[in-house]
Amino acid sequence: MEDNMEEGQGGKGCAECCTKCVGGLPYASLFATILLYMGVALFCGCGHEALSGTVIILQNYFELVRAPMETLDVFAIIDILKYVIYGVAAAFFVLGMLLLVEGFFTTGAIRDLYGEFKITACGRCVSAWFILLSYLFFLAWLGVTAFSSLPVFMFYNVWSLCQNTSLVEGDNLCMDLRQFGLVALSEERKVCTGSEKFFKMCESNELDLTFHLYVCALAGAGAAVIAMVHYLMAIAANWAYLKDASRMQKYEDIKSKEEQELHDIHSTRSKERLNAYT
């Protein structure tokens, strides 16, 4: 009988612990973190491979060669963009963890364990700082999304031209890199529809794969923008909660102070009456 009672109490304690842990999860911040990691991973991975595919297309079909190391050409810019992608992946991994921890420390279960630090002025300043940081990164990802749409537009024009070769047969249409600002105006690098290079480029896997990789990178950037919007909503709600909790805490302090003063006054009067009676 005693063993059954102990097992029941142990099961009840485990259930209460699980319920408390589940209730303490910041679901909004957790969803935003997962979406942010997925978007950043998609943008960084697909963007890196798309840049590598772009290098292959420029070298094989446009006969573009690398300039000396001290010259800033399109290949040097692509290498810089790859390093930027590495930095973006590392920075947003750390940012996602920080924002998730912020969400955990604002929930009721964690606050009960670690005290009312979040209701202090320091806690409110930390939440306000995270709101500003999330807003700045939201604007940054909007810019990244707009920038990612440019190669999608360029490759879509080339890809659609390859898909409609039968419609443009007999026309002398050319794709010139000077139109996209990839080479100097004095340097002519173009591929025309009737040339052998054009058909080889259209039949190759590099063009189709690179185009779809840029589309996936654009989708990843859009997902990161949505994740930052979720972060802004969650952190703003947390900050409003902390502000209300701070006011309630001040009210409780004033109320308890007044009650203590009334208690002291009644105690003093009782002592005076007792002394007068004696």
Side-chain angles (χ1 to χ4, degrees):
M1 185 69 177
E2 292 180 357
D3 293 339
N4 293 333
M5 292 179 62
E6 291 178 357
E7 291 179 358
Q9 291 177 355
K12 184 178 180 181
C14 183
E16 291 179 354
C17 182
C18 292
T19 303
K20 189 174 182 181
C21 290
V22 171
L25 288 175
Y27 292 101
S29 298
L30 187 61
F31 173 77
T33 302
I34 295 173
L35 186 61
L36 178 66
Y37 283 169
M38 291 176 59
V40 172
L42 193 62
F43 171 78
C44 294
C46 295
H48 183 275
E49 293 302 317
L51 290 174
S52 300
T54 303
V55 172
I56 295 175
I57 292 174
L58 293 176
Q59 290 177 338
N60 293 344
Y61 306 108
F62 289 90
E63 297 180 354
L64 202 63
V65 296
R66 286 182 176 269
M69 296 300 296
E70 62 273 7
T71 304
L72 184 64
D73 60 348
V74 62
F75 295 109
I77 294 174
I78 288 176
D79 292 336
I80 292 173
L81 291 176
K82 287 183 178 180
Y83 286 112
V84 170
I85 285 176
Y86 301 149
V88 167
F92 276 89
F93 175 78
V94 176
L95 177 66
M97 293 300 298
L98 290 176
L99 294 176
L100 183 61
V101 170
E102 159 71 14
F104 269 107
F105 274 91
T106 313
T107 56
I110 300 299
R111 194 175 61 254
D112 292 339
L113 290 175
Y114 293 97
E116 298 293 336
F117 166 76
K118 294 294 297 180
I119 302 180
T120 62
C122 181
R124 295 196 303 275
C125 288
V126 170
S127 295
W129 167 251
F130 275 119
I131 291 175
L132 177 61
L133 193 65
S134 300
Y135 184 72
L136 293 177
F137 278 112
F138 164 71
L139 295 179
W141 271 110
L142 280 180
V144 170
T145 304
F147 180 77
S148 300
S149 64
L150 295 179
V152 173
F153 174 73
M154 297 177 186
F155 274 86
Y156 175 75
N157 290 334
V158 179
W159 181 79
S160 61
L161 188 61
C162 290
Q163 297 297 316
N164 299 289
T165 52
S166 60
L167 299 178
V168 297
E169 188 175 357
D171 297 332
N172 189 20
L173 300 179
C174 297
M175 293 173 290
D176 197 339
L177 295 182
R178 292 177 296 182
Q179 295 175 323
F180 306 113
L182 298 180
V183 295
L185 294 177
S186 59
E187 188 176 0
E188 183 177 343
R189 298 290 179 179
K190 62 182 180 179
V191 174
C192 297
T193 54
S195 63
E196 184 180 355
K197 290 181 181 179
F198 175 78
F199 292 108
K200 286 184 177 180
M201 182 179 64
C202 292
E203 293 174 357
S204 65
N205 295 325
E206 288 87 0
L207 180 63
D208 187 71
L209 180 60
T210 303
F211 169 62
H212 289 90
L213 284 174
Y214 275 122
V215 172
C216 292
L218 179 61
V225 170
I226 297 174
M228 297 310 301
V229 172
H230 276 274
Y231 272 128
L232 279 172
M233 292 189 296
I235 297 174
N238 292 340
W239 185 81
Y241 165 77
L242 295 175
K243 187 176 181 180
D244 292 339
S246 177
R247 292 177 178 176
M248 183 61 66
Q249 188 180 38
K250 291 180 180 179
Y251 170 75
E252 293 292 337
D253 292 340
I254 294 173
K255 183 179 179 181
S256 60
K257 185 177 180 181
E258 291 178 351
E259 290 177 352
Q260 184 65 34
E261 290 177 354
L262 289 175
H263 177 72
D264 294 340
I265 292 173
H266 285 300
S267 299
T268 302
R269 289 180 178 178
S270 299
K271 289 181 181 179
E272 290 177 353
R273 291 175 182 175
L274 182 61
N275 294 331
Y277 177 76
T278 54

